[in-house]
Structure formats: structure tokens, C-alpha cells
Amino acid sequence: MEYLLSTDVTAARRHEANLKTLAHTDTLTGLPNRRSYEAELEAALGRSVRNRSGMALMFLDIDRFKQINDTLGHAGGDEVLREFARRLLRTVRKTDTVSRLAGDEFTIILECVRSPEESARVGAKIVEAMRPLFSVGEMARQVSTSIGIAWTNSAAHDARALSTRADAALYQAKEAGRNQFCVAAAPK
């Protein structure tokens, strides 16, 4: 007498796939989260070296986001974050990686960028994309962003150094009055 035991593992595999997605996705915006961003940055730097092409890293903050949260409440702040993410996605290429790190901190990895000037054009497009009022419930709200941009060619491929330069450029944009971008000076 033979016995056959059969188990349907479809539900378990679906559950495992959902957990993996949750581990790499920001649940509020649907964008890649910090963990995904870090892995993608390393992969993009590797592709930049292999293809001998330039790339850029952008750090973005929503200007005065605390005031938005304080006046509109957390639900309103969440809606601003979702709309901000949608506008970023509509502004960059499908091949670029837009991520939400935490709070109002976002990053964009731009691959195959030939020069700092090309990355600056993308920064200008993003600032312009935020100009139309954001609808939050029954209110309209002006939202702006500060952006720090670090460009690198295939010869310079250190994730930490690139991130440090983008972060420094972000703070320069904030100190210069917000609602603008700043491109980091090339390393010497």
C-alpha cells in the first residue's frame, strides 16, 4: 500500500513574496525603501564602472515639512508625501530609481548621466514639478523641495563619498534659501 502526501505551497510562496516586497518597499509611497536604495546604489555604481558612464545621486527634502505636518496633521502630511513621490516618478525616467529613506527624505539615482549639467537639468525639472499647488483634502498647499546633487564619472565609484557630497549639496541648497538644487563640486 502506497501513500501520497501532497501539499500546496502556493499560499506559503505568495506570503514569502509579500514579506520580501514589504522588506524593500516604503508602505506609504510604494517607493523602494532605504534597504533597496542602498543595494541599488551599489549596483548602479557597479554598472557605471562597467559601462564607463557617469551617474548622479540626488538627496531631496520637502521644505518645511514639519510645518506641513503641524498644520495639516499627519494624514495631510502623508498625502503630501504620496503626491511628492508621484511627482518625482513623473519627472524622471523610468530607469531612474526614486526611493524614500524616511520622513521627508528621498533619493534619486540617475544612471547614464553624461555631465553635472545634465543632472542639474533634472534638478530644475523637479523643482518646477513641485510648483503647482498640492491638493490636501479640501485645501491647496504650496510645497517645495531642496535638492543636493552629486555627479560622478566611472572612475570615482565610492557610495559613501557620493552620498556625503549629495548631502552636503542638499544643505547648501537649504542654506541658499530652499526651493532649489545645488550640484556638489567634483572631488579633487
Side-chain angles (χ1 to χ4, degrees):
M1 180 181 266
E2 286 187 39
Y3 290 98
L4 179 63
L5 179 62
S6 164
T7 305
D8 184 1
V9 295
T10 305
R13 286 194 178 146
R14 192 176 305 125
H15 180 70
E16 185 178 322
N18 286 340
L19 288 176
K20 188 173 186 178
T21 298
L22 284 173
H24 295 278
T25 304
D26 173 59
T27 56
L28 180 66
T29 62
L31 295 175
N33 63 14
R34 181 181 296 274
R35 177 181 287 172
S36 284
Y37 154 73
E38 290 170 351
E40 186 54 37
L41 179 58
E42 289 295 338
L45 285 164
R47 287 188 293 272
S48 176
V49 170
R50 275 192 309 281
N51 299 331
R52 294 189 174 108
S53 62
M55 64 170 286
L57 175 61
M58 298 179 144
F59 278 13
L60 305 90
D61 278 352
I62 297 175
D63 294 331
R64 297 178 177 86
F65 185 70
K66 183 178 181 330
Q67 290 176 354
I68 292 170
N69 250 352
D70 290 348
T71 57
L72 301 176
H74 290 292
D78 287 352
E79 186 51 42
V80 167
L81 290 167
R82 285 189 289 270
E83 178 60 21
F84 187 83
R86 285 189 289 268
R87 291 186 190 195
L88 289 178
L89 289 170
R90 285 193 307 259
T91 305
V92 299
R93 303 168 297 187
K94 293 212 182 292
T95 55
D96 297 326
T97 302
V98 179
S99 303
R100 178 175 175 226
L101 299 185
D104 67 319
E105 300 173 358
F106 292 79
T107 62
I108 302 175
I109 300 168
L110 303 170
E111 295 189 61
C112 299
V113 178
R114 292 180 292 275
S115 67
E117 293 77 22
E118 187 178 343
S119 60
R121 285 192 293 276
V122 177
K125 281 175 55 179
I126 292 169
V127 168
E128 189 60 34
M130 299 306 157
R131 288 203 196 285
L133 294 176
F134 281 53
S135 293
V136 183
E138 295 185 18
M139 295 182 64
R141 179 75 184 228
Q142 186 67 55
V143 175
S144 64
T145 185
S146 296
I147 308 168
I149 305 170
W151 179 83
T152 186
N153 59 24
S154 61
H157 58 277
D158 180 304
R160 179 172 283 153
L162 191 64
S163 296
T164 298
R165 288 177 46 229
D167 193 46
L170 170 63
Y171 282 94
Q172 284 180 324
K174 286 175 177 271
E175 288 172 6
R178 299 182 181 348
N179 193 30
Q180 59 189 297
F181 65 90
C182 181
V183 179
K188 296 182 182 179

